[in-house]
Structures are given as C-alpha cells and as structure tokens.
Amino acid sequence: MRLSMSRSLRVVALCLGSLACAGSAFADPPKPPTPVAVAPKQIILISFDAAREISQWERSRALAKRTGAHFTYFLSCVFLLSPETRLQYAGPGKAAGKSNVGFAASRQEVADRLEEIRLAAAEGHDIGSHACGHFDGKDWSKADWLAEFGSVRRVLENAYAINGISPEPADWRDFARHAVVGFRAPYLSANKALYEALPEAGFQYDASGVSKGPELPPIKSGLTHFALPLIPEGPNAKPVIAMDYNLYVRHSGGFEKPAMAGEFADHAYQAFRAAFDAQYNGKRIPLELGFHFTQMNDGAYWDALERFADEVCVKADVECISFRDYVERQRAGERQAAVGG
C-alpha cells in the first residue's frame, strides 16, 4: 500500500511538472526593448558673401578639406569684370560700369577667381548668386530683378571671353548655366518682387531671410527659404544676426579695432558654440552662420569660424553642408514621401 501511494505521488508530481512546463511554453514571450529614437545629425550651413579675395577662397577651401565641410559661396558677379571690362555691367537704373563694391583689380585677378570657383565647385561646394553690383533692391520691380539676374548669368557664362582669358574650360558654360541655383540679396534686402522673380529665373532657394532663431527652412512657391538666425551674444546674451558683419558692428561700431581682435574672436566663437550646443543638445534644427571674405577686426570672425568648424564639423553626428546639399536632400525626401517609399 505504501509502495502504491509512493508511485501515485510521483505520478502526480510528474503531471504537475508537465503542466508547469506546458504553462511556460504558452506564456507571452518577453517584450522587446523599446527602440531608442536616434537623433538626426546636426546640420550647420556656413556661407560666404561676395567671395572676392583670392586668399580667402584658398583659406576657406583648406578649412573645408580638413573638416569635411561643404560651403556656399554667394558670388557678386562684378568681381568677374576688370577695370577694362566693367562697362559690360549696368545695374537696374544705374549707369554702366557702376557698382557698390567695385570690380576686380585686374584681368589676372579675374582669372585667379575663376580658377577658385572651378576648384571649389569640383570639391563639392555650392556657388550661389549675390547679384552683381551689390545694390539695394528693396524698391526694385520684378523686371529689375530679372534684369539683374540676366546680367549675372551673362557675365558668369562669358567671363572668360569678356576678359580675354584663355583657354576657356570646355565645361565652363554648362556649369554657368546650371550650377547656380541659390541666391542671397545684398544687404539681405528683399521684397515681394524678388520672390516673384526668383522662381522665374530658375532659382531653387533664397537665403536672404532673418529669423528669431534657428528654424526649419520651408518651401514656398517652389523656393526653399533660408534665414540667418538671431543668436545670443556677449555677457548679456543680447541677440545678434549670426553673421560676421553684424558682430563687427556690435563689437566695434563697424570700425577696425585690431588691438581687440582676440577678444572679439573669443566672443564670436562663444556665440557660435552656444548656438550650436542649444541645437545639438535640443531639437537639432539646422544652424546657419554667414560670413564675408573681408577680414573685419583683423580677421577676428574668421578666426572664430575656424576654431568653431575645426571642433564641430568633424563630429560623427554633425554635418557642415551647403544650401544646395540641403535643398537636394529636402526635395529627395519630398519625392520619396510622394511615392510612399
């Protein structure tokens, strides 16, 4: 009887064990870990207006090579005309050969600048338009803007021939007709007529805006609109347009103070870095910074730019790209969304 009882208990135990095993077999599988959202790369858009001095072309291209950056150069086309050929340009309502920023110093300087443009384009940089004579177009009509754009295209396309520079590269005219897709107005002075003229002239983006802070560039009427943001600067974090000229006016009233160049460079760097950190540690909205080739306050703002770019453009989760690069990605994303891919 005791043997029978022992066997019964063993059977019951085995059955209970089997049920436990069966129960574990049908239990819910462990939930996979919640995926962690990957932050987008921080985009920085660095541009240069006028694009005149040859040494600054070389310096900016060297900066790009060591950091992997791509820049946008907004070219004033009067710098492709020498004193002998300046009459080839007449701005809206202006006499021929007049410009607010002068012209190239010589035919050789034009040749050197054309070579810099070709090298920059071959290295992946964006060549944009800064109009021609750097006139304030706030009162221009649509026809005036279209005339200015026509002058830009004609001077750029025929720059070698106009100045008697040879040989002209075989691909130059094709480049001149198709490569320039962006615009920034001199003095950032835009009006309604400009935005009517830009799409008609074949432009894909405009970078003449100013915004309260970094913002995602919208597409309106076929144009991507970029804006230089206001960024905090100085001990009181007072907002200033993120451009070297505006810092120059803030720091020294627009007059040279070379003895304070180091201090100004540090203030500018701190402003750039703080604006970057706010986005990098936040929503990662693209940050736009604007410069000129002019060495204001003994080059303080270029020194700040190089220090900044050397630190941040090399980060794995940062991209310093051109406006054209951004627009191409933006439009590729729209096309992909439209087909449901």
Side-chain angles (χ1 to χ4, degrees):
M1 183 69 176
R2 281 195 298 273
L3 181 61
S4 177
M5 286 287 290
S6 177
R7 280 180 185 161
S8 297
L9 288 170
R10 284 200 299 274
V11 170
V12 170
L14 287 169
C15 289
L16 289 172
S18 298
L19 287 171
C21 290
S24 66
F26 289 102
D28 292 336
K31 292 182 179 179
T34 303
V36 178
V38 178
K41 289 188 176 183
Q42 177 64 51
I43 289 175
I44 304 172
L45 301 158
I46 297 171
S47 60
F48 303 97
D49 289 6
R52 180 171 188 168
E53 289 78 5
I54 304 302
S55 61
Q56 298 305 92
W57 276 103
E58 295 170 341
R59 183 176 175 182
S60 62
R61 289 176 44 239
L63 174 61
K65 285 177 181 177
R66 69 175 182 262
T67 61
H70 282 158
F71 301 138
T72 294
Y73 297 90
F74 290 110
L75 175 69
S76 297
C77 82
V78 287
F79 299 137
L80 299 181
L81 297 173
S82 69
E84 294 76 24
T85 60
R86 70 186 188 279
L87 294 178
Q88 291 283 336
Y89 168 68
K94 307 292 182 181
K98 299 296 183 182
S99 162
N100 272 356
V101 288
F103 294 84
S106 66
R107 182 174 72 170
Q108 184 58 53
E109 186 188 287
V110 173
D112 293 343
R113 187 169 297 107
L114 288 169
E115 183 63 12
E116 288 297 325
I117 292 169
R118 290 182 65 246
L119 290 170
E123 291 160 4
H125 298 292
D126 176 21
I127 308 300
S129 172
H130 198 43
C132 214
H134 210 277
F135 295 117
D136 187 340
K138 67 179 183 299
D139 296 322
W140 284 359
S141 66
K142 178 182 176 181
D144 291 333
W145 282 111
L146 290 173
E148 183 78 347
F149 297 150
S151 293
V152 171
R153 284 193 299 272
R154 182 179 56 80
V155 171
L156 184 63
E157 184 176 336
N158 296 284
Y160 284 87
I162 288 172
N163 292 283
I165 299 168
S166 62
E168 178 180 307
D171 60 350
W172 176 258
R173 290 176 185 264
D174 183 68
F175 164 81
R177 289 169 187 149
H178 301 110
V180 179
V181 298
F183 178 75
R184 173 175 282 156
Y187 311 107
L188 304 179
S189 186
N191 62 5
K192 181 181 178 182
L194 170 64
Y195 294 114
E196 293 171 349
L198 283 168
E200 187 170 322
F203 288 100
Q204 296 179 12
Y205 73 82
D206 172 75
S208 307
V210 175
S211 59
K212 291 182 179 179
E215 61 179 25
L216 289 171
I219 297 178
K220 300 176 183 177
S221 302
L223 276 178
T224 300
H225 291 259
F226 294 95
L228 285 161
L230 292 170
I231 60 172
E233 188 273 338
N236 297 321
K238 186 177 178 181
V240 65
I241 296 174
M243 196 172 216
D244 55 358
Y245 177 76
N246 301 85
L247 288 163
Y248 180 51
V249 173
R250 164 73 60 85
H251 291 158
S252 60
F255 296 95
E256 285 295 307
K257 292 185 178 180
M260 298 184 68
E263 180 180 334
F264 295 150
D266 188 61
H267 283 320
Y269 164 78
Q270 295 296 342
F272 300 157
R273 188 64 204 236
F276 167 81
D277 289 342
Q279 294 307 318
Y280 185 73
N281 298 321
K283 295 181 179 179
R284 297 208 170 179
I285 296 172
L287 174 65
E288 182 180 337
L289 301 175
F291 298 87
H292 294 75
F293 273 14
T294 308
Q295 293 286 285
M296 304 172 201
N297 275 327
D298 201 29
Y301 310 107
W302 271 70
D303 292 344
L305 164 64
E306 289 182 317
R307 180 181 173 189
F308 173 78
D310 281 334
E311 286 183 2
V312 305
C313 291
V314 297
K315 289 179 176 288
D317 52 356
V318 173
E319 289 185 297
C320 294
I321 64 173
S322 71
F323 290 108
R324 185 192 61 209
D325 292 337
Y326 185 94
V327 170
E328 288 177 353
R329 294 182 189 184
Q330 182 188 53
R331 297 188 180 209
E334 285 197 340
R335 287 193 296 270
Q336 187 175 17
V339 298

